[in-house]
Amino acid sequence: SAVISQKPSRDICQRGTSLTIQCQVDSQVTMMFWYRQQPGQSLTLIATANQGSEATYESGFVIDKFPISRPNLTFSTLTVSNMSPEDSSIYLCSSRLATDTQYFGPGTRLTVL
Amino acid sequence: GENVEQHPSTLSVQEGDSAVIKCTYSDSASNYFPWYKQELGKGPQLIIDIRSNVGEKKDQRIAVTLNKTAKHFSLHITETQPEDSAVYFCAAKGDTGRRALTFGSGTRLQVQP
């Protein structure tokens, strides 16, 4: 299995500012992902974090708004840039093992005022 | 791309009864189907998964069945307990190059003591 930690666990931010979320996995995983979960909704994939190269973004998500880094196999960051109240959500880091098994972190609860 | 539909959206059962949640998927090439349990304020927790070469899998009170022909899979929880109350998500992983999970819309299970 994989244990995933995220920092911060929650934050309240002012519109127009940016927040960087950190994700650390306790083992070397094949893939890392970032998801968004709006209140009462399902999980939506933002992007796949690729080690040492640009992330692969899903339709509706762009690098300028959600820059992602993955400098090594076990660490990734997601930045939510120029935030607006519509960005208020839970942001989840996820990692996949070679067996396809995918685990999730505890999430970062973001409120934008 | 893959589309996963999940029913019902809410389910209320009496403690000790069984609960069944059903999902259908669209991509016949999908080969991995996990189920997640999400408690309030926490990230999704993997509870059971099944691969396309298996028809059924059990883990204590939880079982998952897969019908590849009909492209649907189900989660069965027997002898439900109040601590089973949570939101449950099904997911599917396609085998067409897109390597992330596609999630269902979620089922809120309430077990009445």
Side-chain angles (χ1 to χ4, degrees), chain B residues 34-59:
Chain B
W35 285 88
Y36 292 86
K37 174 184 181 182
Q38 188 174 29
E39 297 176 284
L40 193 62
K42 297 184 178 181
Q45 175 193 3
L46 178 68
I47 57 172
I48 196 167
D49 57 11
I50 192 167
R51 300 181 191 279
S52 58
N53 59 347
V54 176
E56 182 176 0
K57 183 177 179 180
K58 283 186 178 180
D59 183 4

Side-chain angles (χ1 to χ4, degrees), chain A residues 96 99-100, chain B residues 2 25 27-34 49-54 66 68 91-101:
Chain A
R96 174 179 295 164
T99 57
D100 280 341
Chain B
E2 176 71 279
Y25 60 97
D27 186 352
S28 58
S30 290
N31 56 10
Y32 176 65
F33 308 91
D49 57 11
I50 192 167
R51 300 181 191 279
S52 58
N53 59 347
V54 176
L66 171 65
K68 285 171 51 181
K93 176 182 165 295
D95 192 28
T96 56
R98 185 173 186 267
R99 301 186 232 175
L101 294 172

